[in-house]
Structure formats: structure tokens, C-alpha cells
Amino acid sequence: MRLSTYFMPTLKETPAEAQIVSHRLMLRAGMIRQSSAGIYSWLPLGLKVLKNIEQVVREEQNAINCHEVLMPTIQSADLWRQSGRYDDYGPEMLRVSDRHGRDMLYGPTNEEQITEIFANSIRSYRDVPQLLYHIQWKFRDEVRPRFGIMRGREFLMKDAYSFDLDKEGAQNSYNKMFVSYLKTYERLGLKAIPMAADTGPIGGDMSHEFLILAETGESEIACHNECLNNNWLKDVDADSNLGKIVHTFTEKYAATDEMRDEKTERALGSNLITARGIEVGHIFYFGTKYSSKLGAVVTGPNGEEITVEMGSYGIGVSRLVGAIIEACHDDRGIIWPETVTPYKVGLINLRHDDDNCTNACDNMYSLLKDAGIEALYDDRDKKAGVKFADMDLIGLPWQIIIGPKSVKDGIVEFKNRKTGELVELSAAAALNLLKG
Ligand code: 5CA
């Protein structure tokens, strides 16, 4: 992408309304713009990151045989009256009516809707278990929307739902999803800590939040230090290990509400870590809470009726954009993990008015394109200082810098955004490093 034709309205000044670093950087890098309180437009650079995160989440859901669907944002109030949540949900729910005066709502979550779909489609125990998910915008009229897209009113969520014949099956689905979450966050370059949690308006009797460490996080973390150190993903592909891994987390390492008191300190002693974190996922097991009210019943092997056992599993996809920035930045800007970066490499032409320099840059850009490497080419008529600052701000993991001197020497400068390390290489060598 040539920056001269792109839409990337970066800001030099720090916007006064932004209290935390990710919000400041997202505004400055031209990733988002506020539309109204807690509601944002995604500009090209921000949207690209959002889509990349979505794709990692999607691949990991598909990998555990969870099937993608897409449910609407607008739901019928009657469905929520059946579950009893229409009145319970309170002012957080955005209620609307259509031209016939029918009560509708903008979905804050989809338990009712997916349960209705299951109930209308699956009749036999043979077609269970099922895991279904979608990635869709939600609306919650939060009392205090803040920190940009981190606590928005409109936000993108991956929500999955499991249907099983009995509690044991439901626990297995829960475990599968639990471990899949650990993998998802790792691929996103994050270390997420699972913690036993309250179930809130979703309901149920087992729940974990997934938190990443950040000083600006809204949640408190109290856990065993091995939560941070251990490599939890070893051996997780074997199904038989799922239960063990979840059990270890739940019983030994992960904090519970009561572990936040002095009992925790006694139990964990010097192994106790307390910190702040951002909730990037939340999973629930709630048994037959929705299936019993919405008729999600299948016929068992002996003709008996089985009310299915359910769980739901959320990931804050748009919140993750901010969470990743909170975890990956320095005082010059964002440092994207390779898996979500909007472009792999930034190409900087230091002398737009020098034909040799521009030719060398155009050649490099063609080489990158031909190799299938996504590059953002700063071909603008701007000072070198502005280009350096913008490139560091938007945080692409690699930079290739070409000026008159490098053209003369037949090299390019190749910079690692994270470490700041700068090496001189031939164009071909730089290309090979990026391919590897
Ligand atoms: N139905 C369940 C699971 S699918 C559910 O709605 N869970 S939740 O309420 O915990 O939301 C799931 C995830 O969405 C949270 O872990 C969080 O990462 C994200 N999320 C929740 N509220 C917001 C918000 N206001 N802004 C941005 N992300 C949010």
C-alpha cells in the first residue's frame, strides 16, 4: 500500500480525551474515530488489525470443530421474555421498536437466539454435541463507557455456545474451549491468565475470565506465580489432558474471589502475585438455564426427553485491539505482534525528490509485492523525521529505510521496530529475512 494514496490520518498531538495509552495510540495512529460515547468507526489501519485478530480467533474456533454462523444484531424481545432476561437485563439493553410497534432489541449477547436455532433444528441425541459460534457486533449501554474501544457500548465479540447431552459432556466442551482460549491468546502474542469468576447476568455455576496483565486493567488479579511462568500449552492437543489442565488452573493456580483475601496470602505465601488485568475473554457453564425455557430438548436412545446442557464462551475481539496495544508498545508507539500487524513491513523513502532513491524504493516495493509480503510504502512528500515518527507510531514489526546514501552503497537499512536494531543489508537479504 502506498501511503500517498492511503487513508491514515495520524495525529501529532496526544488527544486530551484519551486516558490510557492504547486509546491515545489508536487515535494518534488513525485507527479509530469516535462517533458518540462508546461508539467508534474503524479506519483502514484499525480495521485491518481487527480483521486479523478476528481471523486468529476464527481459526482456533474452527480447529476445535466449533462451526461458524452469523446471527443478526437485532433480536425479538419475545425471545428474551421467554428466558426471563428481557426484564432482568435492565438499562444496559438497547430496546427499539419496529414500524408495527413490535419490541426488538440490539443484542448484548445471543444465548436466547442460538438456543432457539438449536431447538428448531436438532431433535435427536445423535446430533449432539454441537459447538457453534459467531463474530458479531454487540451493544451494551454501559454506565461508564471508557478507554476507547476497551469498554465501548458497541463492540465486536466472538461468542460460542455448546450443547451437550449431560453435565460430563458439557464439562468436556468447556475444557476444550478453555484450552483453545489459551492457544488463541498465545497466537495473539499475549499471556492470558484464567481466573474463576462470577457469572453475572449470563448465569450458571462455573465460569472463568481470561485476563492479560496491564496496569490500566479494570480487573484485579490474584494468582500463583506459576500462572505466569509455566508453559501451559505443552501436551494440550491430547484430549485426555484437557481436564487435567483445566483442573490444575482451577484448583491450584487460578485465583478465585475468595483467594483475593488474606486466606489467599496464607495459602500461596510468597507465590502470590497480585496485579491488574484486562478481561479479554469469559466462559460460562450454565446447564439447562436457557434450554429448559426455550425448549432445547432432544430425544434420547430410549425415547426419553433430554434437555441439553449448555455453556457460552466469549472473546472481546475489538477489546483485544486495545489490550494488545497495552501489552505491546513503547514511548514511540505501538509494536504489533506479527500475527495481527496490519502490514508486515514499512518501506520508507527518505528522499522523495531524488529519482535514484525513489527508483530503489519502487523496486523494493515490487520485490515485496511479488513475494506476497504486505508492505506499507511511505512515498509521501514529507520530511524524513515525520516518516520515522509515523512509522514507529503505527508499529509495523519491520522497517526498510532507503536514502541516497544507501542507494550509493547498494544496501537498505533494515530495522526491527521492537528492539530498534538497525542493520545494513542487500535488498535481496532483507527480502529473505521477511520471507523466513
Ligand atoms: N454470552 C457471554 C459469553 S459468549 C458473554 O456475553 N460474556 S461477557 O459478557 O463476559 O462478554 C465476553 C467478552 O466481551 C468479555 O470478556 C470482554 O472481553 C468483552 N466485552 C464485554 N463487554 C465489553 C465492552 N463494553 N466493550 C468491549 N468489550 C467488551
Side-chain angles (χ1 to χ4, degrees), residues 22-23 26 31-32 42 45-54 137 149-150 156 188 190 212 278 280 316-328 334 336-337 340:
S22 57
H23 190 195
M26 287 181 77
M31 294 174 63
I32 52 165
W42 292 78
L45 198 73
L47 184 62
K48 222 157 180 288
V49 176
L50 187 69
K51 294 277 173 201
N52 288 345
I53 295 174
E54 200 182 303
W137 293 91
I149 48 84
M150 201 77 96
L156 188 61
L188 294 172
L190 298 171
I212 63 148
I278 301 168
V280 289
V317 176
S318 51
R319 175 177 287 182
L320 270 167
V321 181
I324 291 171
I325 297 174
E326 289 293 326
C328 311
I334 304 166
W336 291 116
V340 303

Side-chain angles (χ1 to χ4, degrees), residues 364-374 431-432 434-435:
M364 187 77 233
Y365 186 51
S366 302
L367 287 175
L368 290 164
K369 241 188 178 161
D370 293 346
I373 294 164
E374 280 204 288
L431 195 66
N432 272 337
L434 290 170
K435 274 191 205 159

Side-chain angles (χ1 to χ4, degrees), residues 38 85 89 92 108-111 138 140 142 145-146 148-161 181 185 199 201-202 208-210 278-284 286 311-320:
R85 279 208 294 183
Y89 219 95
E92 262 197 23
T109 176
N110 288 66
E111 278 80 5
K138 307 288 187 285
R140 292 181 188 174
E142 299 272 352
R146 58 184 187 149
I149 48 84
M150 201 77 96
R151 178 166 296 281
R153 291 198 297 167
E154 192 184 44
F155 58 97
L156 188 61
M157 193 201 285
K158 183 286 297 181
D159 38 327
Y161 302 88
Y181 271 36
Y185 297 123
T199 53
I202 310 293
H208 284 90
E209 286 173 10
F210 291 77
I278 301 168
E279 184 200 313
V280 289
H282 200 159
I283 62 176
F284 304 81
F286 44 71
S312 72
Y313 312 89
I315 288 185
V317 176
S318 51
R319 175 177 287 182
L320 270 167

Side-chain angles (χ1 to χ4, degrees), residues 2 31 67 95 105 123 134-135 138 203 212 237 247 254 256 262 264 276 334 339 342 379 384 391 394 410:
R2 283 178 182 266
M31 294 174 63
H67 308 298
R95 294 153 210 260
L105 57 97
R123 305 254 182 256
H134 75 161
I135 300 175
K138 307 288 187 285
I212 63 148
D237 285 330
H247 181 82
T256 64
E262 55 188 83
T264 319
R276 301 199 68 77
I334 304 166
T339 39
D379 60 342
M391 205 53 94
I394 67 169

Side-chain angles (χ1 to χ4, degrees), residues 326-366:
E326 289 293 326
C328 311
H329 70 270
D330 62 16
D331 51 11
R332 281 170 299 141
I334 304 166
I335 306 169
W336 291 116
E338 295 252 0
T339 39
V340 303
T341 189
Y343 294 90
K344 180 155 182 165
V345 58
L347 172 60
I348 299 179
N349 181 355
L350 288 182
R351 284 286 299 278
H352 179 261
D353 53 353
D354 177 322
D355 284 349
N356 288 337
C357 201
T358 298
N359 284 340
C361 285
D362 287 353
N363 283 340
M364 187 77 233
Y365 186 51
S366 302

Side-chain angles (χ1 to χ4, degrees), residues 343-348 375-377 391 396 398-401:
Y343 294 90
K344 180 155 182 165
V345 58
L347 172 60
I348 299 179
L376 188 64
Y377 175 13
M391 205 53 94
L396 312 182
W398 305 102
Q399 297 175 13
I400 293 176
I401 303 156

